[in-house]
Amino acid sequence: MNLFDVYPINPINIVKGQGSLVLDDKGTEYLDLYGGHAVISIGHTNPHYVKRLEDQLHQIGFYSNSIEIPLQKQLAEKLGHVSGKEDYQLFLCNSGAEANENALKLASFYNGRKKIIAFKKAFHGRTSLAVAATDNPKIVAPVNETDNVIFLPWADEAALEQAFQEHEVSSVIIEGIQGVGGIQVAPVSFLQKIRSLCDVHNAVFIADSVQCGYGRTGKFFSHDFAGINADIYSMAKGMGNGFPIGGIIISPKIKPAYGMLGTTFGGNHLACAAGLAVLEVMEQDNLLQNAAEVGGYLIDELKKFEQVKEVRGRGLMIGIELPEELSHVRKDLLFKHHIFTGEAKPNVVRLLPALNLTKAYADRFLEAFAQVLNSVKETV
Ligand SMILES: Cc1ncc(COP(=O)(O)O)c(C=O)c1O
């Protein structure tokens, strides 16, 4: 049997990881500033994480949501504490798309409405509602098409106000920093506007924090920079440091009912152990502070390169927009300097490293980046 060939891949076989480094099957070491797409939050094979998962595996790996799973309550408590959203309620699932799917569905249950406001260049996942709220027609199958989603221009307050006048809005879903869309930071005033319009119209504010959340920006949720609380935050990626786990946290104003949401795998023992290990390491090693410091340093240094068009982002979620003639930079970083980075079309290098990235590794990247840009200057 062949694999269903949907991923354009690099010819590299990673067989081991430690912290911010990974090794391929030939023993070549790579610096990982991509984290398998923002997933590796506390570093590869973190010893506390490995031990917690291993210990749990020896106890019990899985049982369904038909029984008490105290690890879920521990995770909820810890998450409330670390995120500062102590009075929210946690629902666990398995991925970012599922988290958004549940958030959008819950919003509709809450206010009985259908219309969803999403934004240009948004990415919210590939399940039916999540993909319908994703601004990329290529990945929306005919069966996913719906007129329940209204796409508005990014950060356009007047368009938002008008949409609220014209429609019975169920929810507004927005990434605090668009990831796939090219590292676009949502302006503070725009997030505040969404909050006030949702309040006036009893609509649900959904903060997609799948990529930009979980401490990556130096605050637990990047929407926190606006000093507002969303009604639902969706999370996944960094939550399990590679173990598949996602979730939504839900404001106390939205009340649960038996059967309203559900999942087989969500919140299983192993997933909770992974989630707890991540939060324990984050807290113990002050990873939010590290993300803010090392990320701030990288952003400041990157702004000094004259060939760079723009540097965007917060903390360790950084986009480096390059001119078209530098479209090979990512490949050079990977194949000549052995540094993994992410990309956003058309020409943005995305940095999404582990939150405990050291300044020394940041410097290693900056030196390699300077060399790649200098080699271009020399050949021109
Ligand atoms: C902002 C955002 N939301 C949702 C998703 C979907 O997450 P998953 O791939 O875990 O379904 C992603 C994935 O890249 C994302 O970046």
Side-chain angles (χ1 to χ4, degrees):
M1 190 188 290
N2 285 323
L3 295 174
F4 197 55
D5 190 12
V6 289
Y7 300 113
I9 56 169
N10 289 305
I12 299 171
N13 176 12
I14 296 298
V15 293
K16 184 138 184 57
Q18 192 178 31
S20 289
L21 298 176
V22 290
L23 279 184
D24 72 8
D25 54 354
K26 297 176 191 74
T28 308
E29 181 187 283
Y30 292 81
L31 175 60
D32 185 10
L33 300 188
Y34 173 57
H37 212 81
V39 165
I40 300 302
S41 47
I42 58 167
H44 295 277
T45 58
N46 175 285
H48 176 69
Y49 173 83
V50 171
K51 177 150 193 332
R52 219 183 198 292
L53 273 170
E54 201 178 293
D55 288 350
Q56 187 58 49
L57 204 45
H58 286 294
Q59 297 302 316
I60 184 164
F62 173 84
Y63 207 81
S64 84
N65 284 303
S66 61
I67 50 140
E68 283 180 15
I69 303 180
L71 282 167
Q72 291 184 356
K73 286 199 175 138
Q74 288 171 30
L75 180 57
E77 249 165 54
K78 190 91 187 156
L79 186 54
H81 177 67
V82 178
S83 68
K85 315 284 181 211
E86 313 246 6
D87 57 345
Y88 280 54
Q89 313 152 81
L90 173 65
F91 175 77
L92 289 163
C93 56
N94 312 286
S95 68
E98 250 187 273
N100 285 328
E101 195 78 22
N102 280 297
L104 294 163
K105 189 199 270 191
L106 190 54
S108 178
F109 274 136
Y110 169 73
N111 53 26
R113 303 183 196 148
K114 295 182 180 176
K115 297 287 180 196
I116 295 163
I117 292 180
F119 297 95
K120 289 280 171 203
K121 289 185 134 188
F123 185 92
H124 298 298
R126 290 167 182 273
T127 55
S128 65
L129 260 182
V131 83
T134 289
D135 183 27
N136 180 358
K138 274 195 245 156
I139 63 168
V140 179
V143 72
N144 304 132
E145 284 166 12
T146 167
D147 56 11
N148 284 330
V149 180
I150 302 152
F151 286 103
L152 297 182
W154 180 246
D156 184 335
E157 294 189 17
L160 185 69
E161 273 186 19
Q162 198 182 333
F164 268 95
Q165 294 306 322
E166 289 171 4
H167 304 278
E168 289 266 284
V169 176
S170 174
S171 59
V172 180
I173 183 165
I174 183 167
E175 297 157 79
I177 302 177
Q178 284 190 333
V180 176
I183 313 291
Q184 298 291 348
V185 180
V188 160
S189 61
F190 192 59
L191 295 175
Q192 290 167 345
K193 189 81 188 171
I194 294 174
R195 179 67 277 169
S196 64
L197 284 167
C198 283
D199 282 342
V200 171
H201 296 271
N202 196 29
V204 174
F205 183 161
I206 301 171
D208 182 340
S209 301
V210 169
Q211 188 169 150
C212 60
Y214 242 76
R216 176 154 296 285
T217 58
K219 290 197 189 285
F220 197 82
F221 293 116
S222 69
H223 304 73
D224 291 346
F225 283 93
I228 46 103
N229 283 316
D231 300 310
I232 303 178
Y233 294 83
S234 58
M235 304 157 290
K237 295 191 185 289
M239 195 174 183
N241 201 45
F243 195 96
I245 177 172
I248 50 177
I249 59 167
I250 304 149
S251 132
K253 79 176 187 198
I254 301 177
K255 307 286 180 224
Y258 287 158
M260 198 181 207
L261 304 178
T263 157
T264 298
F265 291 121
N268 68 73
H269 295 75
L270 263 184
C272 289
L276 276 162
V278 166
L279 291 174
E280 284 156 2
V281 172
M282 268 188 185
E283 207 175 28
Q284 199 180 317
D285 296 351
N286 267 325
L287 294 195
L288 272 67
Q289 198 184 329
N290 190 69
E293 283 171 14
V294 178
Y297 169 70
L298 268 170
I299 291 172
D300 288 346
E301 291 301 308
L302 284 165
K303 284 186 173 161
K304 295 179 186 165
F305 288 93
E306 56 183 29
Q307 290 132 293
V308 168
K309 267 171 109 178
E310 195 178 16
V311 182
R312 297 187 291 268
R314 280 191 165 121
L316 287 172
M317 182 164 183
I318 301 172
I320 310 164
E321 179 151 357
L322 296 170
E324 213 189 309
E325 64 270 21
L326 293 181
S327 59
H328 56 89
V329 164
R330 251 189 93 238
K331 285 247 177 283
D332 284 359
L333 284 168
L334 180 58
F335 292 109
K336 295 187 182 156
H337 296 271
H338 300 142
I339 299 177
F340 275 102
T341 60
E343 75 168 334
K345 303 265 186 269
N347 206 10
V348 180
V349 176
R350 263 198 291 175
L351 305 184
L352 301 161
L355 306 185
N356 47 14
L357 184 79
T358 60
K359 185 166 171 293
Y361 284 140
D363 282 331
R364 196 204 272 194
F365 165 72
L366 289 166
E367 273 165 41
F369 190 67
Q371 278 180 33
V372 172
L373 295 196
N374 280 339
S375 68
V376 177
K377 265 192 197 158
E378 280 158 20
T379 53
V380 174

